Amino acid sequence: MPVNPLDNLVRALSRLPGLGRRSAERAALALVRRPETLLDELALALREARQNVRCCNLCGGFTTLDANPCALCTDTLRDDTQLCVVEEPADIVSIERSGGFKGRYHALMGKLSPARQTGPAELRLQALAARVADGRIHEVLLALSTDMEGDATAGFIAEMLRARGVRVTRLAFGLPADSGVGYSDPLTLKRAIGGRMEV
Ligand SMILES: [Zn+2]
């Protein structure tokens, strides 16, 4: 039986975070109702994002094809001695918005999680060790979530970097439990960065 394209669209939209089945249906119906404006515009934006948005080879944050390493990695005014480790590229956006950090970034692309079968090899930990190995970084600030998996990831990294003589700190509490950096408001994040503690 041929797949109904409208059902297909609803199914694809409902996989997006924050969009349940009902909202996906509403969005899909609005799109096909105005194909020349909404649908074409979205299709073009999706294609452009697919072609041009990349993760930075150095920090893992979002950038474009023609700017890799990204602007945050190449900005000469930022502090090379401080490295902020986050779980997801989106966390970099949140920390930048808080204005509380002026060093470099490193996104792990997840956290250690036995439940999701994410082990050290699935994260960008080797790349982190390599960045710290060149000796320029004095402090690694772990901006990880405050759940068991975030704790385990922080412990693993602290252990990994201890021998390298680098200071490892973690965001002060104040961040909501079981939430990632991405869910914290800018002011809370800025305070958490200011009050960071030795791991
Ligand atoms: Zn970068």
Side-chain angles (χ1 to χ4, degrees):
M1 206 171 67
V3 185
N4 180 329
L6 189 54
D7 286 347
N8 235 354
L9 181 58
V10 173
R11 201 173 308 123
L13 289 170
S14 67
R15 291 175 65 186
L16 298 173
L19 278 190
R21 175 90 197 171
R22 263 185 86 88
S23 334
E25 205 168 75
R26 280 185 62 193
L29 292 171
L31 286 164
V32 293
R33 172 78 179 77
R34 293 173 61 196
E36 284 82 13
T37 49
L38 291 183
L39 196 54
D40 287 350
E41 213 170 282
L42 182 65
L44 185 66
L46 289 172
R47 198 173 310 123
E48 279 181 351
R50 182 70 185 90
Q51 280 167 358
N52 291 314
V53 177
R54 291 289 184 280
C55 284
C56 172
N57 290 333
L58 199 53
C59 71
F62 294 123
T63 186
T64 52
L65 199 55
D66 54 1
N68 203 343
C70 73
L72 289 171
C73 286
T74 52
D75 184 349
T76 53
L77 297 176
R78 297 189 73 99
D79 185 352
D80 277 327
T81 67
Q82 301 204 328
L83 186 70
C84 178
V85 174
V86 297
E87 288 165 21
E88 297 294 332
D91 296 339
I92 296 176
V93 180
S94 302
I95 293 181
E96 273 304 288
R97 198 174 291 142
S98 81
F101 184 75
K102 293 293 173 215
R104 307 289 181 187
Y105 290 99
H106 189 90
L108 296 172
M109 303 300 174
K111 53 186 166 180
L112 293 176
S113 167
R116 270 169 293 181
Q117 298 188 325
T118 309
E122 276 71 44
L123 303 177
R124 297 180 68 239
L125 288 166
Q126 288 288 342
L128 174 62
R131 290 183 77 178
V132 171
D134 85 358
R136 256 187 307 181
I137 295 161
H138 297 163
E139 179 186 354
V140 171
L141 166 61
L142 304 175
L144 306 172
S145 48
T146 50
D147 53 13
M148 267 173 60
E149 295 171 343
D151 290 347
T153 310
F156 188 94
I157 294 174
E159 189 66 36
M160 182 178 90
L161 298 182
R162 195 158 287 149
R164 302 189 185 270
V166 59
R167 186 174 173 229
V168 182
T169 56
R170 194 166 177 194
L171 290 190
F173 31 67
L175 296 185
D178 289 339
S179 75
V181 167
Y183 294 101
S184 305
D185 67 273
L187 189 63
T188 308
L189 257 181
K190 193 173 183 178
R191 285 195 186 128
I193 294 166
R196 60 198 192 242
M197 296 165 301
E198 215 86 28
V199 175

